Amino acid sequence: MTTMTDPPQGAFRLSMLINDTRYRSYTFQFIALIALIAAFAYLGSNLFTNLAAAGLNISYDFLGSPAGYDINQTLIEYSSQSTNARAALVGILNTLLVAFLACVTATIFGVVAGVLRLSNNWLISKLMSFYVEIFRNIPVLIWIIIIFTIMIAVMPGPREFRGDDASASMVLDLFAFTNRGVYIPGPNFENGFASGALNGLIILAALVGSWFAARWNNKRADLIQETTGDRPNTLYANLAIWLVPVIALCLIMGLTWDVPALKGFNFSGGIKVGGPLIALWFALSIYTGAFIAENVRAGIQAISKGQSEAAGALGLRQGRIMNLVVLPQALRVIIPPLISQYLNITKNSSLAIAVGYADITATLGGITLNQTGRAIECILLLMLFYLTISLSISAIMNVYNNSVKLKER
């Protein structure tokens, strides 16, 4: 039995692709897809035709040739005789490093500023408003240059640490803050593997395992609390889960610390956190943190005041209300725009070339491109990297967003 609203039944006709609402959207999407494929095919054909006319071709053989330039900040072993592929890998790791550090610190700045901007204290609220309005309305490139310039002008040079009457000294004889960067003690595993990076990955794997174990322990305590009404103490168990595996690994691999020391015209030993990295990291953090603060403020204000009033009626203090009631509910409003801010941090890291930080844009898209003349290949690789990392960040954050979003029955 059919009704007046049902589409007429019968044999399929080509006119139904346009006239029938069941197929019309698919028809237009297919036409758009064909047009897009044709446009890319035309552009590709035009590219190869022009390259052939100029006696050129698409080749990535240059990645295997020596790079011929030095990089001041590296996470893996590298020299000027390393390949261009190795230089690109160094740039990728440097980009991921500054992006990760900036995402973490920008989130901290943003959450603190967003919460304090809603404070009842007039002075604190206005100070946070001043921070947000100043930092988000000035381009991040200017902040990068300002911070780098201040660091060079204010911080002491290595020579000021020399002599009995030195005007500068190391902090606790462990840390040296100079205009070239910050030198900190570095780990050295005497009984570890040959590769220092591999030793670090083992420690990282232990920390990840501890995180899953601590999470399981907390869920177990939640289940016991729901069943019996009494929550077992998880503090000591979690401390053991976090500390015992890491300490055991450090003892087994013979962890020692390489303390930086002034030798010649500069410090040697330890780990150097270069001035360009610090300037880029701090500038991206405070700039993006101002945008995240507005996202946090909007998420908190989206929660009904009745939630806070009900929690206050139960005797909870303001800090506990914010941590246990308001922020968990505000996450579903905060996280979607937060994903965009993380993507902006990753893409804005390409401004590192302004202060000499060797990210992927400075290595593959800068020096390597200029030396080899392979502009098309380098740009395509750059596009592929930023597309991959952006989609990865979006996918990870969307998984987290689905885990905290409001569940409806």
Side-chain angles (χ1 to χ4, degrees):
M1 179 177 180
T2 61
T3 63
M4 296 297 294
T5 59
D6 291 334
Q9 304 294 327
F12 176 79
R13 300 183 305 275
L14 289 178
S15 60
M16 296 172 64
L17 294 176
I18 301 296
N19 298 327
D20 197 324
T21 56
R22 293 175 297 173
Y23 308 110
R24 184 182 302 161
S25 62
Y26 297 106
T27 302
F28 290 145
Q29 292 179 51
F30 181 75
I31 294 174
L33 177 62
I34 295 299
L36 184 63
I37 294 175
F40 277 106
Y42 170 76
L43 293 175
S45 175
N46 187 48
L47 170 64
F48 285 106
T49 300
N50 292 334
L51 288 174
L56 303 175
N57 64 338
I58 298 292
S59 174
Y60 292 94
D61 294 339
F62 71 95
L63 292 175
S65 59
Y69 59 90
D70 293 321
I71 298 177
N72 54 7
Q73 182 92 40
T74 63
L75 295 177
I76 58 176
E77 294 182 2
Y78 173 83
S79 68
S80 59
Q81 298 305 311
S82 300
T83 62
N84 284 312
R86 186 77 171 183
L89 178 59
V90 171
I92 289 174
L93 294 178
N94 285 346
T95 299
L96 296 177
L97 173 64
V98 71
F100 173 77
L101 293 176
C103 285
V104 173
T105 50
T107 303
I108 296 173
F109 290 160
V111 171
V112 172
V115 172
L116 293 182
R117 193 172 182 188
L118 298 174
S119 172
N120 294 326
N121 187 303
W122 181 87
L123 180 59
I124 293 178
S125 175
K126 293 304 178 183
L127 283 176
M128 292 300 103
S129 299
F130 178 79
Y131 158 71
V132 169
E133 297 302 330
I134 290 295
F135 281 92
R136 74 172 184 165
N137 287 303
I138 296 178
V140 64
L141 178 59
I142 296 179
W143 287 119
I144 295 173
I145 296 174
I146 289 175
I147 295 174
F148 185 66
T149 303
I150 292 175
M151 184 175 179
I152 294 176
V154 173
M155 302 298 289
R159 64 180 180 181
E160 298 182 33
F161 289 81
R162 184 181 294 108
D164 297 332
D165 298 329
S167 59
S169 60
M170 297 179 62
V171 178
L172 302 176
D173 292 330
L174 297 174
F175 307 95
F177 295 86
T178 74
N179 56 6
R180 298 183 182 180
V182 178
Y183 297 83
I184 62 177
N188 182 30
F189 298 96
E190 296 180 352
N191 302 324
F193 294 90
S195 173
L198 184 57
N199 296 327
L201 290 177
I202 293 175
I203 298 295
L204 180 61
L207 291 174
V208 172
S210 297
W211 182 81
F212 281 107
R215 186 177 180 184
W216 173 85
N217 188 43
N218 291 331
K219 286 186 176 181
R220 171 180 163 277
D222 293 339
L223 182 61
I224 294 175
Q225 183 179 8
E226 292 175 0
T227 304
T228 64
D230 295 327
R231 182 178 181 84
N233 190 349
T234 59
L235 176 61
Y236 299 108
N238 285 338
L239 285 176
I241 289 172
W242 280 104
L243 297 179
V244 171
V246 175
I247 294 175
L249 281 175
C250 292
L251 292 176
I252 292 173
M253 293 190 293
L255 174 64
T256 58
W257 293 97
D258 184 16
V259 179
L262 182 62
K263 296 181 180 179
F265 297 100
N266 203 353
F267 283 88
S268 63
I271 298 176
K272 176 186 177 182
V273 184
L277 171 59
I278 295 175
L280 182 65
W281 172 15
F282 192 58
L284 290 175
S285 300
I286 59 177
Y287 175 77
T288 312
F291 289 90
I292 295 178
E294 287 296 273
N295 298 336
V296 172
R297 182 176 67 87
I300 293 175
Q301 290 182 327
I303 306 303
S304 172
K305 290 184 178 180
Q307 299 281 336
S308 300
E309 294 172 352
L314 294 175
L316 293 178
R317 296 190 300 270
Q318 287 298 322
R320 303 288 289 176
I321 292 174
M322 181 62 65
N323 293 333
L324 299 178
V325 178
V326 178
L327 280 180
Q329 297 183 78
L331 283 177
R332 66 178 186 270
V333 180
I334 296 172
I335 290 177
L338 183 64
I339 299 175
S340 298
Q341 299 306 327
Y342 286 169
L343 297 178
N344 288 337
I345 286 177
T346 305
K347 290 179 284 188
N348 286 338
S349 66
S350 60
L351 297 172
I353 194 172
V355 289
Y357 181 69
D359 71 328
I360 183 63
T361 303
T363 54
L364 181 62
I367 303 176
T368 300
L369 186 153
N370 292 329
Q371 289 184 347
T372 62
R374 294 289 181 175
I376 295 175
E377 294 89 337
C378 291
I379 296 302
L380 287 176
L381 289 176
L382 272 179
M383 293 171 59
L384 178 62
F385 166 74
Y386 281 111
L387 178 63
T388 302
I389 193 62
S390 297
L391 292 178
S392 300
I393 292 174
S394 180
I396 294 172
M397 292 301 297
N398 279 324
V399 169
Y400 179 67
N401 184 40
N402 290 331
S403 67
V404 300
K405 71 179 182 180
L406 186 63
K407 305 295 191 300
E408 296 183 359
R409 296 182 179 180

